[in-house]
Amino acid sequence: MKKTMMIALDFPTQMDVNTFLDQFPYPEQLTVKIGMELFYRYGPEAVQEIQNKGCSIFLDLKLMDIPNTVYAGMFQLAKLGVDYVTVHTLGGSEMMRAAKRGLVDGSREANKKVPELLGVTELTSISQMALTNEQNCSLTMNEQVVSLANLAKASGCDGVITSAKELNDLVEQVGDDFDYVVPGIRSRDDASEDQKRVATPEQAREHGASAIVVGRPITQNEHPYRSYQKYDDEWNLKKRVD
């Protein structure tokens, strides 16, 4: 995975998505994340319409079910020609291996490239208190994320979704031959909102992130393309001359 910045298209309608993307002069250069809200309303049509604009697609549905069901789901998703998909690592190694087989088999049938399989570790909205008191996990957040990432790697995933706070331990204990996609990205002057474990683009890059995901700071900004450029500059360490 090249160093990629992804935009989370957390909009309720396809019209909102089109209005947003129309503000970008080169949508074919974008990697965008489609989540549950859009996909549950429009299904594969949402993917196809955005692909028609040239965007690369991160389809973030976070599958978690028995292995056979996840295999069947991934088999179908692979036919859409998306670039990245997600599963919950807490579903276990057998489920993740089934997810990978589904992607390989579905891609082969549709003559598509196999999407990259990313395992969700702990959501960036989960705090240490929630991990301890609600999930009844005795590990620290870093220990839990590293454990789940190692399981994901051993089970055929290509990378994990993680906060930047765990990146140092992940690179050291899981390896730099694995992809780390970091949501919860905020510049220093943006509010963290419901995210508990946030980082700036520079911090994520410095600690070994392969890609970052930015949502509301871009999609809800009065000038989304300008905001995108700011985040892209910070992520790629560019100095823009206006």
Side-chain angles (χ1 to χ4, degrees), residues 21-218:
L21 291 177
D22 285 346
Q23 299 177 70
F24 289 76
Y26 305 105
E28 66 275 7
Q29 297 179 359
L30 301 178
T31 298
V32 298
K33 181 174 81 72
I34 299 174
M36 298 176 187
E37 186 174 19
L38 271 179
F39 195 81
Y40 289 168
R41 180 166 183 175
Y42 298 101
E45 291 181 5
V47 174
Q48 184 174 6
E49 187 160 345
I50 296 169
Q51 284 175 326
N52 288 341
K53 295 180 180 292
C55 301
S56 298
I57 305 292
F58 171 22
L59 185 56
D60 185 22
L61 301 181
K62 301 181 177 70
L63 273 64
M64 184 174 177
D65 211 313
I66 63 172
N68 187 61
T69 299
V70 170
Y71 169 89
M74 287 299 187
F75 185 89
Q76 298 301 329
L77 295 182
K79 295 180 181 181
L80 300 179
V82 298
D83 301 276
Y84 312 94
V85 294
T86 49
V87 291
H88 270 291
T89 57
L90 288 169
S93 60
E94 185 180 354
M95 185 204 74
M96 286 187 278
R97 287 194 295 269
K100 187 71 171 186
R101 291 197 304 272
L103 291 178
V104 171
D105 292 348
S107 297
R108 182 184 299 118
E109 181 172 292
N111 196 28
K112 303 280 189 180
K113 180 181 176 181
V114 180
E116 187 163 325
L117 180 61
L118 303 172
V120 177
T121 54
E122 290 290 342
L123 302 174
T124 54
S125 59
I126 297 295
S127 64
Q128 180 66 54
M129 183 178 296
L131 182 69
T132 301
N133 298 332
E134 297 177 12
Q135 296 187 19
N136 298 312
C137 179
S138 61
L139 302 178
T140 66
M141 181 64 73
N142 276 36
E143 291 170 339
Q144 169 75 341
V145 170
V146 167
S147 175
L148 292 172
N150 272 316
L151 182 65
K153 188 176 184 179
S155 303
C157 288
D158 301 289
V160 290
I161 312 295
T162 179
S163 93
K165 306 300 182 184
E166 294 84 48
L167 280 172
N168 284 340
D169 286 345
L170 285 167
V171 172
E172 180 179 345
Q173 299 179 49
V174 182
D176 58 7
D177 58 341
F178 201 51
D179 286 334
Y180 304 108
V181 179
V182 180
I185 297 296
R186 297 289 185 274
S187 69
R188 299 184 190 281
D189 54 351
D190 284 331
S192 62
E193 297 163 318
D194 59 347
Q195 303 278 15
K196 300 295 190 298
R197 291 157 33 239
V198 300
T200 66
E202 304 101 312
Q203 290 169 334
R205 185 183 185 94
E206 178 182 347
H207 293 294
S210 309
I212 58 173
V213 183
V214 187
R216 286 167 286 186
I218 295 176

